[in-house]
Amino acid sequence: MSNDTPETPRLTSSYPETPARPPNRSRTPVRSSFGGASSRRASPASLSALRAGSTIEPSSSPPPPKISPVQVQPINDQQEPWIPLNVLDAPTQRLYAIAIFGALQAYKLYDLSRLYADDGEITMIWFYMKWWLLDVSFFWYLPSFRIPWLRFSPTVSLYCILSVLVFNTALPHLSTAPFFSLLAGVWKLLYDRELSISERRVKWGDIIHNDTHIMGKYTVHILPEGVAKLNPEGHCFCLGPSSPTVTVPIKINGTQPINIQLTRIDLEGAATDTINLSQKEIKKLISKAAREEAPGLRYLPYTVKQPGLYRLTKVRDVSELDVRVHSSHALVVACPKATIKTAPNAKKDVCMNDMSNLSVQLEGLPPLSVTYSRVIRGKPTTLSVGRIHPENYDSPLLSGFSIDAHLTENDNEDLTSWAKRETLSVPLNDSMTSTGDWLYEIDQVTDGCGNLVDYKAHQEEGDAWLPKFSGLGHKLVVHDRPVVRFDGCDPQNPLALPRGRQAALPLRLDSQGADAPYRLNFDFTPFDQLGSSTEHSANPQVKEFTMKSPSDFQWIKEPGLYSIRKVSSSYCSGDVLEPASCLVITPPEPSVTMEHDEILDKCTKSSIGLNLDLTLVGSPPFTLQYREIKDNRPPVVKTIRIDRTRHQVRFTPEEDGHYTYEFFSLSDKNYNTVKIDPLAHRIVQTVKPIAGAHFINLSGRKTACIDEPVEFDVKMQGAAPLTLHYDLIHGGRRTRISDKNITEQIYTIKTPPLSNGGDYSLALTSVEDQSGCKVFLESEAKIKVRFQRPKAQFSPVEGKMSVRALEGKEVKIPLRLTGEGPWFVKVRNIDRDETPTEFKFENPNSALVATQVGTYQIESVRDSGCPGNVLKAPFDKFTVTTIERPKARLPPSGAITAKDDIFIRKPVCEGDEDSVELAFMGQPPFTVDYERTYRPEGTSKRQLDKVQDKLTAGLSTASVRLETSKAGLYEYRFYRLSDGLYDDPRDRNMQSPIVLQQTVNPRPSTAFLNPSKVYKYCLDSAPQEDSIIPIQLVGTPPFALTIHIKHHSTGKKDVIHLPNIDSNHHDFKIPPHALTLGDHSVSIHKVRDSRGCTRRTDDGPHVTVAVADMPTISAADQRTDYCVGERIAFTLAGLPPFAVEYKWNGETMLATNQPSSFVRVAERPGNFTITGLQDSASDCKVGVDIRRTIHEVPSVRISEGTSVVKGIPEGDQAEIKFRFYGTPPFTFTYTRSAIAKKGQKPRVLESHSRTAEDYHYSMFASQEGTYEVTSIEDRYCSYPASNGRKS
């Protein structure tokens, strides 16, 4: 390109022009200075910042074709932006302008919503005037800011103003526009994917915005002056058993030290030591130091093993210069320590309300603080004590002053007074108010500069309270104090101690957790030494008892006064409560005196018994034992229990004889079985008892049957023989009866038969003995006599003493019973040689269940108490008979033939109606269950389809519809029959099933092998093999076909007959006279096979035959070179959809279902050639040859695509290398940005453009910043993509 070539016109609102090359520039190696000619004016400082000798390195790759140099037009000088770029860079100014415009549009939408609300706050005129003014003002004043890329010309500004005026005018009237259309547009903008040349869905934005085209950046740091500091964070450190060494960091920045010197001041004696670190030791520290983000910054981990105050005094770097050392210190002290101390001779077991007497001993740098736990019966409590220091102790740590400031001000003068280790003690005196385990355990201790030792972290796992370090915990067991008193005994309520026995003192000992054994001390005074006031003597005896548990008994044998003086357990002394004294006395032994007199009979004046009067001495209740001896028989021991001191006993034997009563033993509350003299306490008597009688075993009223006697047992007493008089009372009438010469003691009275029902009374009136002495009696018995005997009979059913029953069914014969249940009835079947069977019935209206036919007769009946009668004929007999079961058969017919117990029905065609009749005998309605078995034609016998069905008939005949919907062999098996009586589903009522078979022949069918295929023909072309329409026929050949061909354009229908087709496949060729230009429908109308079965398919499937012209293709753009990411578009003419055949990098591709336009995205470089086109009107393909070349977008790599950060001393330079990929020559733009902190956006300091003829380029930089490429352009393409591509 020559120098006189006219410049390309550019709008002021376009992107900045590419920097121009001077007209006299040659193709010799270029030496460019950083900050030279560019799109912006460089300051003199920037021009002198870099060395002006950078050269283009020779490429290691094969050299590209030689290309003539390209002259670039120089840019016209323009005014600087209104806001200088060094204050706010151009991209940020553009961002602010766009943000302001977006905020205005959001506010406009808010006003639009208020306008639609129709609340009167805003009107249409107000909306128009407001937004016309605001939008016009924005686009009118925007160019005056002179923002790059937004410097609109007056013409462009006018177009923008007119556009927003029209938009604002139409906006209130667009409320009815579909909202979902807007959403669809946004969705397509964000998520739309397009087809690429390789027929894959790709996202166009990912192709054109590929960040891999520009990779790498180079950051230059100007290294600062080196510094060193010890302990930069100002921490305090400690040494102890768990941390014998600590690491103190030494901060090194911007230097490489070879010698470090430190000093250590001893905290106890103020001695000073000097520590020198050699270069070898420093290298080890540097290797251990972690890598920091900032270059040149290191934290050297220096290890300290002795406490003291450390200072960094001197650092020398590799240049043998002293590095500036910041004043700092590192205080290393002994780690704080805490232990629990106990008092001398202290015990683990203590008593309630005692003091704990513990202390915590602390060692470390004051002020100290300690946290300890107190666990009482498993419930922990955490306590803290802080600011612990000696008296008159002065330290900067107490006032919160900085240690560094204090050391700088006082220069270590008072270091040993406040920084040395102290030993302090903190008392722990708690009143132990509850029993159980008290655990004291130290949790952590902290010294004055914040060093914390957490003992909880060192406890053994699973150990509940013993820590790993001794002295950190102490456990006390708190025991309760025992309490004792007397229970139920005091001087007012003495305890009785029988003579010669021992008793237990009624002590009540409450331990409440106190530990056994328990020791009790008593004062004892014998009873005979007590004074009149029942007090102890001057010198009472001292007794001591030991109890292993509170429930133990303390036995005593001496009466007297016992007083508790003291009580104690294994660990603690106890309390004595009132009553504390118990008086024990000896009660007297029991005794008895007795007097008696005889009881005489008024008739014979003989003795019939005696009255005994007893007077007792002792403590009730009493137990008196005596022996009763009759007529020298063995004695019988008897006992009398008496609850008072006076008592009377009456002896009246029922039998006569000589009686002796000897009293030999007496017991009371205190004494058991005190013997008394039986001779002194003996009574002898001869007794003749009076006559008497009474009923025995008499319980309530006795029930009797009518006309039967009743018996009662009576016990008799007196001198035999005896005479008994008694009355039988019924209905107000009394019958007197006397029985004489009774000698038995148990006599049975038998009444005469009781012929009347109702209530009777049997009363004993008097009895006489052999002397004739008469004694009147009061014993009486009640009798209830039933009015009639029980009866049994059969009840007629529908006026008959017989019933017809179903075969095998139970029959309930009604039975009527009278009397009192339950009833026991004997019944016999007289038609069978059987013995009678007895049945039990609870209900008077019961039923006899009969399971067999025959005549049933009642033999006898009885109820719960009496035998009964059976009613005479005809009510004593009942007859049971059966009903015949139903029957079914097939009536004779010419269409049915029998073969081996199987009935054969003549064949029918599929879908024809057919039925067969069944004849029945029995009681309507009839129900017959049958099974229909279907075997498809041509399958094995095992492939059966069984269906259960039933038929209900109200008359003696019924028709069974035969299934003919599917072709095959049908078998009907009628296996169960029921009528109106026999309807039990468990009964089949058929000896053998009725089997009927019928063959259903299938109807022939046809189908197009390709029903969805469109058979296409090209106009004026010869018929091809694809024009044959294959037809599949199912059935038995030969077939007859009728085919219809319908012309869509004229509506005419042609009928073609094919009378004889001998196979199941037929290739149908459309006659040429039946086809014209347009679409045709071919369908099969009817088919018939050799069995005579026909199928019509009026609405059956059809195929389409289309005849059309040739398609064409034309390019939308005549370019032959494209870049990756651009769209290649073509226009198609014909009947869509189209099929486009093309080659992509030698691979043949086919794009189907294409609309009238063919558009593909170039996703990668290569050769693209369209070779053929076909539309949907025919199968004819058009051959074409359209070629396009796709070029790769150029790429650039700085430092091989990596991010390089290099630090250089001030005044030095760094070399930056660029590598290009694409087609030379290359033009690129790079920027230098300020090094921003993390999270901040870097600020662009300057931007330059350069041109390279080869694949490599290098330059030198001496200014600090980050160097990045922003755009790259080669012969054909550029990145980022511009509005127009180079061709």
Side-chain angles (χ1 to χ4, degrees), residues 30-34 47-55 1213 1260:
V30 180
R31 298 180 58 87
S32 62
S33 61
F34 187 87
L47 291 174
S48 61
L50 298 176
R51 184 180 300 169
S54 301
T55 60
Q1213 290 182 337
F1260 291 91

Side-chain angles (χ1 to χ4, degrees), residues 313-333:
T313 57
K314 185 177 182 180
V315 177
R316 178 166 293 183
D317 62 5
V318 293
S319 60
E320 297 295 332
L321 298 176
D322 290 337
V323 178
R324 183 162 58 93
V325 178
H326 285 280
S327 177
S328 57
H329 310 80
L331 182 61
V332 181
V333 299

Side-chain angles (χ1 to χ4, degrees), residues 793-796 801 813-815 848 856 858 875-878:
Q793 69 173 36
F794 287 120
S795 178
M801 298 302 292
I813 304 175
L815 188 64
L848 176 66
Y856 292 85
I858 302 176
F875 298 103
D876 61 339
K877 297 179 182 178
F878 201 95

Side-chain angles (χ1 to χ4, degrees), residues 206-394:
D206 294 342
I207 297 177
I208 65 171
H209 301 104
N210 190 353
D211 295 338
T212 60
H213 291 291
I214 299 177
M215 297 182 63
K217 61 182 178 180
Y218 202 99
T219 302
V220 178
H221 278 285
I222 303 300
L223 298 179
E225 181 185 1
V227 294
K229 185 176 183 181
L230 177 67
N231 190 18
E233 300 297 332
H235 293 310
C236 183
F237 306 90
C238 75
L239 299 173
S242 59
S243 54
T245 61
V246 295
T247 301
V248 179
I250 302 176
K251 180 181 178 180
I252 302 296
N253 189 14
T255 185
Q256 183 69 30
I258 61 173
N259 180 264
I260 298 177
Q261 185 182 82
L262 302 99
T263 59
R264 185 186 75 87
I265 303 175
D266 187 60
L267 301 179
E268 301 293 336
T272 302
D273 298 330
T274 302
I275 303 171
N276 289 306
L277 300 181
S278 64
Q279 186 175 1
K280 183 178 181 180
E281 293 175 329
I282 294 174
K283 288 183 178 179
K284 291 182 179 179
L285 294 179
I286 294 175
S287 64
K288 295 180 182 178
R291 184 176 298 275
E292 304 294 334
E293 294 183 0
L297 177 63
R298 293 288 188 274
Y299 290 91
L300 306 184
Y302 176 64
T303 302
V304 175
K305 299 181 179 179
Q306 292 181 331
L309 179 65
Y310 290 82
R311 286 182 174 177
L312 183 64
T313 57
K314 185 177 182 180
V315 177
R316 178 166 293 183
D317 62 5
V318 293
S319 60
E320 297 295 332
L321 298 176
D322 290 337
V323 178
R324 183 162 58 93
V325 178
H326 285 280
S327 177
S328 57
H329 310 80
L331 182 61
V332 181
V333 299
C335 290
K337 179 182 178 182
T339 56
I340 296 180
K341 299 293 184 179
T342 59
N345 301 324
K347 295 182 179 179
K348 174 183 176 182
D349 297 285
V350 296
C351 299
M352 194 167 65
N353 297 324
D354 287 351
M355 303 301 291
S356 60
N357 292 328
L358 299 176
S359 64
V360 178
Q361 182 173 317
L362 304 175
E363 296 182 14
L365 177 65
L368 298 165
S369 62
V370 63
T371 300
Y372 65 95
S373 297
R374 184 180 65 196
V375 183
I376 303 175
R377 302 175 69 176
K379 297 181 178 180
T381 303
T382 302
L383 305 172
S384 298
V385 181
R387 300 185 65 82
I388 305 171
H389 57 81
E391 294 183 2
N392 302 322
Y393 176 75
D394 187 15

Side-chain angles (χ1 to χ4, degrees), residues 1028-1168:
I1028 299 175
I1029 303 175
I1031 300 175
Q1032 183 70 34
L1033 297 99
V1034 179
T1036 303
F1039 301 94
L1041 280 178
T1042 301
I1043 298 177
H1044 289 181
I1045 300 176
K1046 181 179 180 181
H1047 303 264
H1048 290 186
S1049 58
T1050 62
K1052 177 185 175 182
K1053 182 181 294 185
D1054 293 334
V1055 179
I1056 299 175
H1057 298 281
L1058 303 177
N1060 190 10
I1061 301 175
D1062 294 331
S1063 66
N1064 294 91
H1065 180 83
H1066 180 68
D1067 292 331
F1068 176 62
K1069 297 181 180 180
I1070 303 176
H1073 66 274
L1075 295 176
T1076 58
L1077 185 63
D1079 292 339
H1080 306 75
S1081 293
V1082 179
S1083 60
I1084 300 173
H1085 175 65
K1086 185 173 65 173
V1087 61
R1088 186 181 72 252
D1089 64 358
S1090 62
R1091 295 175 179 174
C1093 296
T1094 304
R1095 184 186 298 273
R1096 297 175 65 91
T1097 56
D1098 293 336
D1099 297 328
H1102 64 276
V1103 295
T1104 302
V1105 177
V1107 181
D1109 289 333
M1110 296 289 188
T1112 61
I1113 183 171
S1114 60
D1117 190 354
Q1118 299 303 320
R1119 289 190 298 158
T1120 59
D1121 293 297
Y1122 287 82
C1123 297
V1124 172
E1126 290 188 314
R1127 297 179 179 89
I1128 304 176
F1130 298 91
T1131 302
L1132 308 178
L1135 180 63
F1138 297 89
V1140 180
E1141 184 182 74
Y1142 60 92
K1143 288 186 178 181
W1144 170 240
N1145 288 336
E1147 181 182 358
T1148 301
M1149 312 286 288
L1150 180 64
T1152 59
N1153 296 326
Q1154 296 300 311
S1156 298
S1157 61
F1158 176 69
V1159 181
R1160 289 295 183 269
V1161 176
E1163 59 171 331
R1164 54 191 174 90
N1167 295 319
F1168 173 72

